């Protein structure tokens, strides 16, 4: 019997809309789903926006009271797409109410809160089979999953160094209205907790656990405009530069910035090992570049050099028939795969990956980086 999963959506900004799109798209991208999923309710801070979202995108009933959704016995999953500062209380209430939970990154604004939620999530899974997962959507891009296979198979040998970057251009205009992601009182830390969360998770996922981090945060534009046109003093970092050491001994850099002229969604990484190397660029997400240090040489270089590997839409079964596996991949496809991975775990009663444990471990690194910048010293984890 196919299980119907009913979801309550909290927040309907850009990410809430992305989640709704992903759930609606699942039947097109995955054959023979063992479940059906639909949004049964949506909550925003204003009833007008909640009603519009509910009616336009068929999201069930509208409310401004998240507790109404969390305590609704018909709802199985709470999908948290609200600003960072609200994640902890909402997730805690949802777990204690017996719900499975999907949470946008970062899991919380402090490492202590993240550890507490992880402990609650583990207990809830063991006792009730509740599944708690993170939206680290970039893990689910086909080329990055292929990179994971390369690393896990030993083709890179021992990882020696790495360079992860996530660069935007969204904070270069001081006249642009500042949003909640630029307000430390709401986001906890600016670009570090936003773009930085993605690259910290990817580095952990691909290369291993962090053992030490040294970071420097930057505010390039001391003032921005608010929605009413007044001047607002910037209080959250607009860029962060990290040097990190991993448990495996690898040393590398992670850079997250929103003050990079010419960048759009500039997520890139390079990973160098004793036997090979990998490179990836989200703006060309159909491809993964691989260097085999053991390839045959020759007078003109032989087979040495980075090989451009086509990844496009080649996801494993039950995906792959729509659109064609030859079709171009993209950012939204990673979100669809992320949603499939989480809801499949809910349907099958197994732990999600990435889990709240991944969220907590990433948060520990992010907090250490923030402390490092404030204290001017390396922080061990």
């Amino acid at each position: 019997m196919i299980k119907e999963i009913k979801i309550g959506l909290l927040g309907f900004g850009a990410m809430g809309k992305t989640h709704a799109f992903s759930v609606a798209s699942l039947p097109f991208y995955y054959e023979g789903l063992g479940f059906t999923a639909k949004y049964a309710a949506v909550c925003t801070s204003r009833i007008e926006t909640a009603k519009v979202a509910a009616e336009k995108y068929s999201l069930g009933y509208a409310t401004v009271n998240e507790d109404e959704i969390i305590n609704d016995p018909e709802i199985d999953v709470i999908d948290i797409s609200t600003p960072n500062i609200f994640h902890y209380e909402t997730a805690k209430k949802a777990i204690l109410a017996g719900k499975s939970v999907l949470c946008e990154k970062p899991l919380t604004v402090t490492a202590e809160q993240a550890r507490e939620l992880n402990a609650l999530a583990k207990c809830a899974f063991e006792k009730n089979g509740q599944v708690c997962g993170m939206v680290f959507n970039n893990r689910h891009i086909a080329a990055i999953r292929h990179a994971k296979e390369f690393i896990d198979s030993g083709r890179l040998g021992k990882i020696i160094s790495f360079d992860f970057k996530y660069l935007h251009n969204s904070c270069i205009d001081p006249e642009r209205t500042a949003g909640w992601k630029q307000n430390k009182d709401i986001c906890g830390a600016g670009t570090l907790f936003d773009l930085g969360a993605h690259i910290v998770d990817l580095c952990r996922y691909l290369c291993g656990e962090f053992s030490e981090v040294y970071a420097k945060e930057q505010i390039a534009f001391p003032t921005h405009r608010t929605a009413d046109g007044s001047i607002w003093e910037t209080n959250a970092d607009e860029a962060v530069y990290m040097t990190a050491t991993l448990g495996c001994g690898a040393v590398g850099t992670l850079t997250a910035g929103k003050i990079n002229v010419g960048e759009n969604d500039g997520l890139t990484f390079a990973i160098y090992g004793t036997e090979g190397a990998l490179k990836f660029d989200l703006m060309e997400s159909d491809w993964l570049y691989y260097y085999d240090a053991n390839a045959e040489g020759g007078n003109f270089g032989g087979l040495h050099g980075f090989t451009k590997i086509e990844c496009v839409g080649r996801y494993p079964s039950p995906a792959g028939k729509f659109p064609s596996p030859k079709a171009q991949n993209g950012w939204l496809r990673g979100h669809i795969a992320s949603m499939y991975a989480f809801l499949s775990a809910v349907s099958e009663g197994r732990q999600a990956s990435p889990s709240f444990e991944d969220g907590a471990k990433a948060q520990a690194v992010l907090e250490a980086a923030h402390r490092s910048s404030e204290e001017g010293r390396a922080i061990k984890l």
Side-chain angles (χ1 to χ4, degrees):
M1 182 178 178
I2 293 178
K3 176 180 175 61
E4 182 179 59
I5 302 172
K6 294 182 179 179
I7 310 167
L9 179 57
L10 308 184
F12 199 72
M15 297 320 303
K17 183 178 286 189
T18 300
H19 292 196
F21 173 87
S22 299
V23 169
S25 300
L26 289 176
F28 293 95
Y29 285 86
Y30 294 90
E31 297 288 340
L33 282 173
F35 62 88
T36 61
K38 70 175 185 179
Y39 284 98
V42 60
C43 176
T44 67
S45 60
R46 294 189 297 119
I47 192 61
E48 295 82 6
T49 58
K51 285 182 176 179
V52 168
E55 293 170 7
K56 186 174 182 180
Y57 301 103
S58 301
L59 301 179
Y61 64 84
T63 181
V64 294
N65 183 3
E66 67 175 28
D67 291 344
E68 182 179 352
I69 296 177
I70 290 171
N71 295 312
D72 186 337
E74 295 297 314
I75 288 177
D76 307 294
V77 172
I78 300 300
D79 181 350
I80 302 174
S81 299
T82 53
N84 304 349
I85 197 170
F86 303 119
H87 291 183
Y88 167 71
E89 291 291 349
T90 300
K92 185 175 180 179
K93 284 191 296 185
I95 293 170
L96 294 176
K99 309 299 186 185
S100 292
V101 180
L102 179 64
C103 188
E104 265 294 340
K105 56 78 196 162
L107 179 55
T108 58
V109 294
T110 73
E112 182 180 357
Q113 290 177 342
R115 286 191 296 270
E116 181 184 343
L117 287 184
N118 180 39
L120 276 175
K122 286 184 175 181
C123 183
F125 178 77
E126 292 172 1
K127 288 185 176 180
N128 307 315
Q130 293 164 244
V131 177
C132 295
M134 293 294 303
V135 185
F136 285 129
N137 53 288
N138 292 301
R139 286 190 182 202
H140 299 279
I141 293 170
I144 292 178
R145 291 180 62 174
H146 200 17
K148 176 69 169 171
E149 287 186 343
F150 268 101
I151 293 168
D152 288 350
S153 68
R155 291 196 178 196
L156 267 62
K158 181 180 179 179
I159 295 175
I160 298 173
S161 66
F162 53 87
D163 180 35
F164 287 78
K165 292 186 175 72
Y166 208 163
L167 308 178
H168 281 187
N169 63 1
S170 52
C171 287
I172 59 176
D173 181 5
E175 296 300 309
R176 179 179 174 178
T177 300
W180 67 263
K181 288 186 178 181
Q182 286 78 55
N183 187 341
K184 188 176 181 179
D185 296 335
I186 301 175
C187 65
T191 302
L192 173 62
F193 280 13
D194 187 19
L195 304 183
H198 282 298
I199 55 175
V200 164
D201 177 69
L202 278 183
C203 187
R204 282 191 60 250
Y205 177 62
L206 296 173
C207 302
E209 299 295 347
F210 286 65
S211 63
E212 184 179 271
V213 63
Y214 178 81
K216 178 66 176 178
E217 296 172 338
Q218 178 186 16
I219 293 176
F221 299 95
T223 61
H224 284 273
R225 292 284 181 182
T226 63
D228 63 7
S230 60
I231 297 294
W232 177 74
E233 291 188 7
T234 307
N235 67 0
D237 65 274
E238 297 172 321
V240 60
Y241 311 90
M242 294 176 269
T243 301
T245 303
L246 305 184
C248 64
V251 178
T253 57
L254 302 95
T255 304
K258 295 185 177 181
I259 50 175
N260 303 93
V261 174
E263 295 290 349
N264 289 297
D265 201 24
L267 172 59
T268 63
F269 65 73
I271 303 170
Y272 302 96
T274 54
E275 305 295 327
L278 291 168
K279 291 183 180 181
F280 171 78
D281 183 344
L282 182 60
M283 298 303 287
E284 296 183 358
S285 61
D286 294 329
W287 307 96
L288 178 68
Y289 291 84
Y290 169 61
Y291 182 90
D292 183 356
N294 299 306
E296 181 182 346
N299 291 334
F300 302 100
L303 298 178
H304 286 170
F306 277 91
T307 299
K308 186 177 181 181
I309 300 171
E310 58 181 30
C311 298
V312 286
R314 290 189 172 89
Y315 284 85
S317 179
K321 294 184 179 180
F322 177 85
S324 166
K326 299 178 181 180
Q328 288 178 310
N329 205 346
W331 182 83
L332 276 171
R333 185 65 183 89
H335 270 283
I336 295 167
S338 172
M339 189 63 73
Y340 169 75
F342 173 74
L343 292 177
S344 293
V346 173
S347 174
E348 296 167 15
R350 54 178 170 80
Q351 285 280 22
S353 179
S355 64
F356 271 25
E357 182 171 5
D358 292 303
K361 288 184 175 180
Q363 194 61 37
V365 177
L366 295 171
E367 183 169 286
H370 190 52
R371 279 184 55 207
S372 173
S373 182
E374 289 185 331
E375 299 174 14
R377 64 183 181 94
I379 302 293
K380 293 189 179 296
L381 289 112

